[in-house]
Amino acid sequence: MEQYSIFAKYYDEFMRDIPYDSWCEFILNELEKNNKKSGRILELGCGTGNMSFRMEKAGYEVVSTDLSLPMLKVANRKKRKNKSKIRFGMMDMCDILIDETFDIVLCLCDSTNYMQNEAMLEQVFAGVYNVLCPGGIYIFDLKKEDFFRQLADNTFVDEIDNCYYVWENDYDEENRDNYYYLTFFAKGPFGAYRKYEEEQMQHAFSNEEVLMVAQKTGLAVKSILELEGSEERIYYVMEKKYE
């Protein structure tokens, strides 16, 4: 089954405790530090657009992409409701095919952890380099390996109206891969519940791997940061240097 298929419908409700506002404030502060208080943003792995809409509200022109068509459908419904001008489109971040340039590229909410190895990470970085203007800024986050270790063998359950899910985890220490097994029970129109299952995988990258791939693709690392209250992830701020 496609990732984020049935989950897309309920994603925002199940993610209701995610501190998007504090994340957005953090990103805006970093952009201001790097003289990017305005400009064009390309967002990779935008999901249902929660950060996209916040960046548009802050005054940026936003183009948002994701690999999941169900998530983009939700994002476009929110776009119409909000009368937004964001352009949402389906795109694999490993194959950034867009004939435009941007002042900023964002990839948040641990979307980069879905890259399975260094080769895929290098494809992403190379694509980002190609679409960034000289002096452009690239900000992304990664879940730390310790976070995946803490998830290992744990099971979580949550419930909203008409749906509940069971989230199981299995961390492969040798390959640094975390497998998410999601089981949804969604209420149908006649009151019966139907079972859906999804499997996802994220990879834990070391800091050394990230820095090596950045160097290979020509991206200069400006800062490596943590956000108070979100210590499970690390933020990288990179720049495409003027030639």
Side-chain angles (χ1 to χ4, degrees), residues 111-125:
S111 295
T112 305
N113 285 107
Y114 285 102
M115 302 304 101
Q116 299 176 9
N117 49 51
E118 286 182 54
M120 292 179 71
L121 187 66
E122 184 173 341
Q123 286 179 287
V124 176
F125 282 15

Side-chain angles (χ1 to χ4, degrees), residues 185-232:
F185 297 90
K187 192 175 184 179
F190 301 106
Y193 280 83
R194 184 175 177 185
K195 180 180 178 181
Y196 301 88
E197 295 179 312
E198 293 188 22
E199 179 181 329
Q200 301 177 16
M201 188 269 277
Q202 287 189 316
H203 181 73
F205 289 97
S206 69
N207 187 56
E208 291 74 20
E209 289 170 329
V210 174
L211 297 182
M212 182 181 67
V213 174
Q215 184 177 32
K216 287 176 66 175
T217 53
L219 291 167
V221 179
K222 299 203 72 178
S223 52
I224 302 172
L225 306 160
E226 290 185 15
L227 173 59
E228 186 177 353
S230 296
E231 289 82 4
E232 75 278 6

Side-chain angles (χ1 to χ4, degrees), residues 27-207:
I27 296 299
L28 291 174
N29 286 337
E30 290 306 310
L31 292 177
E32 183 174 359
K33 289 177 188 176
N34 287 278
N35 299 311
K36 292 290 185 289
K37 294 178 68 174
S38 62
R40 304 187 72 232
I41 291 177
L42 173 65
E43 185 178 8
L44 308 175
C46 68
T48 64
N50 290 310
M51 290 297 292
S52 305
F53 294 116
R54 286 168 170 81
M55 299 308 296
E56 181 185 45
K57 187 176 180 180
Y60 294 88
E61 179 186 344
V62 184
V63 176
S64 297
T65 65
D66 200 281
L67 186 58
S68 170
L69 183 58
M71 296 287 270
L72 289 170
K73 287 180 177 178
V74 175
N76 274 305
R77 285 198 295 269
K78 292 159 69 175
K79 170 185 174 176
R80 291 189 291 271
K81 181 179 179 180
N82 296 330
K83 298 181 180 179
S84 166
K85 295 182 179 179
I86 296 173
R87 289 160 47 201
F88 287 101
M90 187 174 180
M91 189 174 71
D92 186 342
M93 70 175 73
C94 282
D95 194 13
I96 300 177
L97 297 175
I98 184 166
D99 190 21
E100 301 175 44
T101 54
F102 297 87
D103 305 288
I104 302 152
V105 176
L106 300 178
C107 188
L108 306 171
C109 305
D110 52 89
S111 295
T112 305
N113 285 107
Y114 285 102
M115 302 304 101
Q116 299 176 9
N117 49 51
E118 286 182 54
M120 292 179 71
L121 187 66
E122 184 173 341
Q123 286 179 287
V124 176
F125 282 15
V128 168
Y129 183 91
N130 288 336
V131 298
L132 272 179
C133 299
I137 295 296
Y138 174 35
I139 301 178
F140 66 96
D141 64 29
L142 286 169
K143 285 277 184 66
K144 299 178 183 178
E145 185 173 12
D146 284 346
F147 172 80
F148 293 124
R149 289 193 180 109
Q150 291 168 14
L151 281 182
D153 301 322
N154 282 310
T155 299
F156 305 90
V157 178
D158 196 5
E159 182 177 5
I160 58 172
D161 288 344
N162 300 322
C163 184
Y164 72 92
Y165 81 91
V166 179
W167 166 20
E168 299 174 280
N169 297 272
D170 181 22
Y171 184 58
D172 180 344
E173 185 82 34
E174 181 178 355
N175 294 308
R176 288 178 287 152
D177 294 329
N178 190 75
Y179 294 89
Y180 302 92
Y181 303 104
L182 303 169
T183 304
F184 298 87
F185 297 90
K187 192 175 184 179
F190 301 106
Y193 280 83
R194 184 175 177 185
K195 180 180 178 181
Y196 301 88
E197 295 179 312
E198 293 188 22
E199 179 181 329
Q200 301 177 16
M201 188 269 277
Q202 287 189 316
H203 181 73
F205 289 97
S206 69
N207 187 56

